[in-house]
Amino acid sequence: MDLITLCNKIHLPKEIQNEVMSYYQTDDFTSVYPVTSGLKNMETEADARAKLGQLLGEDPQKIKMLTCMLVCAAELYSWYEEKGISETVYVDTMCCFTRFIEECRNITGQYAFDREWWTARQVSGNLFRIGELEYEMLDRESEPVISIHIPSDAVLTGERCDMSLENAKEFFAAFFPEYQDRDYICNSWLLAPELCSLLSQDSKIIAFQHRFKIQEADYSDTDYIEWVFKTRDVPIADLPEDTGLQRNMKRHLLNGGRIGTGYGILSDR
């Protein structure tokens, strides 16, 4: 798949798409292109990103880095085809780029790409979006496991989660049999034990949480601030109160409570 086709399929905002294509056609991109191959392997992607960070120079909105990632994503399409993985899964997976850019705009007020530390998972063929949820192949203590991630636009109804999980199990059985019948794990603020006292028991979040056997909580993680309140680096007293969850969580935090994240293992395999 060529780069412009990918940009159109994932509905990349036109102003970003124009900047990506402009940089892609420069000699500067041609000179750094050989380094991008390192982004396609999780063992080399950190070094490749560091080297690209030095070579790309000034890149305030990370458009140059985004271009490198998107080129890798476009090149990965042939691998999807060879394995027989559907274009739907491919496009849904690569829509992460558009989602991240939109999330950044919602928080900062401007389009930018701030997730280059995450998207190597997609461009290396280690993470797939299947319906509402994303699934990442990992090794935990030398054993294959599948880590579930919850995209910000996921609709967590019981029916949609059931369908995603069922389709994921069929997907891994068909394309990555070494991950068949393995543990499905999740590390997310959605699994934070405190949510049970902040939300009603008929909440979709609580229903999702109840799918897992919670093993531990990490109260040092504050990522929930960004996901729940759609902001960063704001004093607790100034956090918005537009939703019931925001109001309950803010009150909990002001009273000295903690949230963090929970780690669990899917119990209804």
Side-chain angles (χ1 to χ4, degrees), residues 189 194-195 197-200 205 224-225 227-230 236-257 259:
W189 71 269
E194 285 71 17
L195 293 180
S197 63
L198 300 178
L199 293 167
S200 64
I205 291 177
Y224 64 89
I225 295 289
W227 300 118
V228 176
F229 296 98
K230 314 301 181 186
I236 294 174
D238 296 333
L239 292 173
E241 301 181 41
D242 300 325
T243 69
L245 177 58
Q246 287 178 344
R247 290 189 291 273
N248 291 343
M249 189 176 286
K250 180 176 178 178
R251 186 183 310 115
H252 177 74
L253 294 170
L254 286 171
N255 289 332
I259 302 294

Side-chain angles (χ1 to χ4, degrees), residues 137-155:
M137 298 183 294
L138 294 175
D139 285 335
R140 184 189 61 183
E141 298 177 355
S142 300
E143 288 293 327
V145 296
I146 296 170
S147 181
I148 297 175
H149 304 288
I150 306 93
S152 61
D153 60 352
V155 179

Side-chain angles (χ1 to χ4, degrees), residues 185-251:
I185 64 174
C186 183
N187 188 39
S188 170
W189 71 269
L190 293 170
L191 270 57
E194 285 71 17
L195 293 180
C196 287
S197 63
L198 300 178
L199 293 167
S200 64
Q201 289 305 299
D202 60 357
S203 160
K204 290 192 290 291
I205 291 177
I206 297 303
F208 181 79
Q209 186 178 114
H210 284 168
R211 293 175 181 271
F212 297 85
K213 295 179 180 178
I214 308 300
Q215 307 293 304
E216 59 186 53
D218 177 6
Y219 294 104
S220 67
D221 194 320
T222 59
D223 284 351
Y224 64 89
I225 295 289
E226 178 175 334
W227 300 118
V228 176
F229 296 98
K230 314 301 181 186
T231 189
R232 300 170 183 162
D233 302 322
V234 173
I236 294 174
D238 296 333
L239 292 173
E241 301 181 41
D242 300 325
T243 69
L245 177 58
Q246 287 178 344
R247 290 189 291 273
N248 291 343
M249 189 176 286
K250 180 176 178 178
R251 186 183 310 115

Side-chain angles (χ1 to χ4, degrees), residues 44-56:
T44 59
E45 64 86 17
D47 287 342
R49 281 190 293 110
K51 188 171 183 180
L52 282 169
Q54 296 175 342
L55 294 174
L56 294 176

Side-chain angles (χ1 to χ4, degrees), residues 66-80:
L66 173 63
T67 304
C68 294
M69 285 286 183
L70 287 173
V71 167
C72 291
E75 292 175 345
L76 189 67
Y77 182 67
S78 60
W79 177 80
Y80 270 72

Side-chain angles (χ1 to χ4, degrees), residues 67 85 108 161 164 169 185 222 228 231 261:
T67 304
I85 301 173
T108 67
C161 288
S164 176
K169 290 168 186 176
I185 64 174
T222 59
V228 176
T231 189
T261 60

